[in-house]
Amino acid sequence: MSLVVITERDAARRSYWIDEISRLSGDFGIDAERVERAISQEIGDQGIPALLGHLRLCGVIPERYRPGSSEEKLYSKYTDIVIHEAYRSLGCTSIVLKERADVADVECVCGRFSFVADAKAFRLSRTAKNQKDFKVQAMDNWKHGKPFAMLVCPVYQLPSRTSQIYQQAAARSVCVFTYTHLAVLVRYAELVGEERSVALLHEIFKTVAAMNPSKSASAYWQAVNRTLLDYDARMSDIWREEKLASIEAIRLAQDESLQFLASERERIMRLSREDAIREVIRSHKIDKRIRAVRSVADNGLLEIV
């Protein structure tokens, strides 16, 4: 596949991290800290190009990771680490929070304002766009006194016509953003410095907070995109290049996913009858469900009189 913006090194880096996340220790906390240290060191060594490579490609969960698996959960934490590094590159003080429930995953302080953030990633095979997947209302609850929140998503998985997530975003001062937009900000910070890039980030938050709540995707993104593009005439060149990068990222992710699914189909076709039966039993979690059924017993509540 011919690539213009995304490099072969970016593609190789993604393949490396997909494999690396599969090498689990079995302890989520230890694994997440290990990934955070390694990503931070990698970006420290290779600079902004490495960060941009992650931002452009991290929004797709690999098809090889089973839904609900430890790999998938660690991949989700990896995307939080990526946006944390992006905020740091803008000049914000950022941390990845260790708590697992009822909090956002990233917390940032940027001079005069602060916010919480969360990253979302999806499989390309995902079809339904359920508003609950985006957790806009939850992000509002997780501000804990901060004025803003940001939800970073892959651009091609966001609703393109109407959705309650845009209405909720405007009503609750939760900025729905994309990895592409964040990459634009990272590149702008490299061009003009941290002060102006943080000021622009603040303007984006204020734009969302000032919106008239509407389900219209067009109204929401026109306001956000114009805030970016009108801020500096030099932004248009960065914008065009990152738009191209987003198209290349889709093509690269499609190739990756289709190759895996084709190999998985071939593997299943080659199974013996006995292996195929075992595969179906395992995929339906029959044994686990049997154990759960057998574990149910009288809990004694009716003996309490």
Side-chain angles (χ1 to χ4, degrees), residues 135-204:
K135 302 190 300 186
V136 175
Q137 294 187 63
M139 289 298 292
D140 182 34
N141 295 333
W142 295 340
K143 288 177 184 174
H144 298 305
K146 289 184 168 48
F148 306 118
M150 178 174 280
L151 191 62
V152 185
C153 311
V155 62
Y156 39 85
Q157 291 286 12
L158 285 163
S160 59
R161 294 185 180 178
T162 61
S163 173
Q164 286 188 10
I165 69 169
Y166 300 122
Q167 187 176 48
Q168 293 166 359
R172 297 172 181 269
S173 293
V174 175
C175 177
V176 177
F177 219 46
T178 75
Y179 294 102
T180 303
H181 287 81
L182 198 48
V184 169
L185 279 180
V186 168
R187 291 185 59 184
Y188 185 64
E190 187 179 30
L191 179 66
V192 302
E194 296 176 354
E195 184 176 350
R196 281 183 61 79
S197 60
V198 167
L200 174 54
L201 178 61
H202 198 193
E203 285 301 314
I204 292 165

Side-chain angles (χ1 to χ4, degrees), residues 12-26 30-32 34-39 42 54 62 64-65 70-71 74-75 78:
R13 185 185 296 108
R14 172 168 172 81
S15 296
Y16 168 81
W17 278 106
I18 289 173
D19 291 339
E20 191 67 14
I21 287 170
S22 294
R23 300 188 184 98
L24 301 170
S25 71
I30 291 173
D31 291 330
R34 176 177 58 84
V35 171
E36 184 174 351
R37 286 194 303 270
I39 293 288
E42 180 181 88
H54 285 291
R64 63 186 265 190
Y65 295 168
S70 298
E71 293 169 314
L74 185 57
Y75 190 89
Y78 153 71

